[in-house]
Amino acid sequence: MRMSRDSKYLDYIAVAVSILVIVVCLLPMLNLLARSLSDSEYLVRGEVGLWPKGLNFEAYRLVLEDTKYTWAFVWTVIITAAGTMLSLFMTAICAYPLTYDHLKGRSVIMSLILFTMYFNAGTIPMYLLLKDIRLLNHPLVLIVPYCLSVFNIILMRNYFYTIPTSLRESAEMDGANPVRILVSIYLPLSLPIIATLALFYAVGRWNTYSDALMFMNKREFYPISLLLYFLIQSVSEVETYSLEGNIPLGLSESLKAAAVMFATVPILLVYPWLQRYFIQGVTLGSIKE
């Protein structure tokens, strides 16, 4: 009875902490939504909290009518989808061979991979490399570089370890080659870790702007996050990046909030579809059997 009572109290504490975390995470989003839907005069006076005042959709109209934002949104979807698929492919083909105990030099290869996790050449050598291979200002510069994460390789490799080796040995006895085993056995049994890493890669691709800022000068290939970066910079100077001329300060703040909501909500909607795989993928992928 005492253990049951203590357990119940711990459950109450866990629920209370979870509710507190949810509220802390939701409050900024609610304030941002309220600011994007509020009339400019209330924003100027600083009267907008968690509920919009003077309901106004002008900021969303400006964002949706501006082709810079709509094309940047479409382009960001493209590079996110292409980059995520490429990253998952590269992660799988790097992690899978490391599960073979008889792979010659496996420990050396793994050590070199881990070395790159802690040490890298930096931005300037990367810039010079991309310049030499003629990727600067090319759309692929937003997809190919940084398509592989050492941490995600380790997660996928450890998840592959949880798959019984007897399945692989049976397939080898039936004449299946390593590629066939990967495609027919390992990948279908690894949906949790694939979905988890897809979420990691997609969120990273969607939110990144530093790559485009450093390696891309063509504005038609700017992702939505970089446009938001310029928008926030220009709003601080009381003018917008997407429209010529100046607009009132209140509408500038509302436009900034609407643009952030426009870019944030789509990637937030991806998480519920992958939630059921998330915990299982991270848990099993972080522990070697």
Side-chain angles (χ1 to χ4, degrees):
M1 290 291 293
R2 183 174 181 179
M3 289 294 295
S4 177
R5 189 179 305 134
D6 293 342
S7 178
K8 186 179 296 185
Y9 289 150
L10 290 176
D11 290 342
Y12 290 151
I13 295 174
V15 170
V17 171
S18 299
I19 293 175
L20 178 62
V21 171
I22 292 173
V23 170
V24 170
C25 293
L26 284 180
L27 285 179
M29 291 297 299
L30 293 176
N31 176 256
L32 195 66
L33 179 61
R35 294 171 68 85
S36 68
L37 294 173
S38 296
D39 193 77
S40 58
E41 60 178 293
Y42 295 101
L43 289 171
V44 173
R45 294 201 297 260
E47 298 179 358
V48 179
L50 301 179
W51 192 260
K53 291 188 176 182
L55 192 62
N56 190 343
F57 294 93
E58 180 68 14
Y60 285 98
R61 184 186 66 81
L62 292 174
V63 171
L64 293 175
E65 288 182 353
D66 193 336
T67 56
K68 290 184 180 70
Y69 288 109
T70 53
W71 165 244
F73 178 83
V74 174
W75 173 239
T76 305
V77 171
I78 294 173
I79 62 177
T80 299
T84 301
M85 294 299 295
L86 176 62
S87 297
L88 289 175
F89 172 76
M90 294 294 295
T91 303
I93 64 174
C94 288
Y96 175 63
L98 296 175
T99 61
Y100 280 81
D101 295 332
H102 60 272
L103 177 67
K104 293 183 178 180
R106 187 181 67 161
S107 59
V108 176
I109 296 173
M110 197 62 209
S111 299
L112 293 175
I113 292 175
L114 289 174
F115 180 84
T116 64
M117 186 176 181
Y118 300 102
F119 303 97
N120 60 76
T123 303
I124 294 178
M126 174 62 74
Y127 181 91
L128 296 176
L129 173 63
L130 295 176
K131 180 180 178 181
D132 290 341
I133 62 178
R134 299 181 180 180
L135 273 185
L136 284 181
N137 299 318
H138 193 282
L140 290 178
V141 79
L142 303 178
I143 299 175
V144 176
Y146 307 109
C147 67
L148 199 57
S149 167
V150 175
F151 177 75
N152 292 340
I153 292 176
I154 296 173
L155 285 181
M156 182 166 282
R157 184 203 63 168
N158 290 347
Y159 193 95
F160 284 164
Y161 274 126
T162 65
I163 299 175
T165 56
S166 58
L167 294 176
R168 184 174 68 193
E169 293 171 353
S170 299
E172 289 173 347
M173 293 178 62
D174 291 335
N177 57 39
V179 176
R180 179 64 181 275
I181 296 173
L182 173 64
V183 174
S184 300
I185 297 178
Y186 276 76
L187 293 184
L189 294 176
S190 303
L191 288 181
I193 193 63
I194 291 175
T196 301
L197 298 187
L199 180 63
F200 289 167
Y201 281 126
V203 171
R205 291 282 181 176
W206 185 273
N207 291 330
T208 186
Y209 70 92
S210 57
D211 295 353
L213 183 63
M214 293 184 293
F215 306 136
M216 176 62 68
N217 291 330
K218 298 179 180 179
R219 291 189 175 183
E220 62 269 24
F221 294 119
Y222 281 176
I224 189 67
S225 56
L226 185 57
L227 288 188
L228 288 179
Y229 171 80
F230 286 130
L231 176 63
I232 294 172
Q233 292 248 341
S234 60
V235 164
S236 64
E237 300 172 0
V238 201
E239 62 179 8
T240 63
Y241 174 71
S242 60
L243 303 174
E244 295 182 359
N246 296 331
I247 61 176
L249 175 60
L251 184 56
S252 296
E253 291 294 330
S254 181
L255 179 62
K256 179 177 67 173
V260 172
M261 291 296 298
F262 178 72
T264 304
V265 170
I267 197 64
L268 290 178
L269 296 178
V270 174
Y271 180 75
W273 297 93
L274 303 177
Q275 182 180 11
R276 60 179 179 146
Y277 298 110
F278 187 78
I279 297 177
Q280 183 182 359
V282 173
T283 302
L284 294 179
S286 61
I287 301 174
K288 178 179 175 181
E289 188 179 64

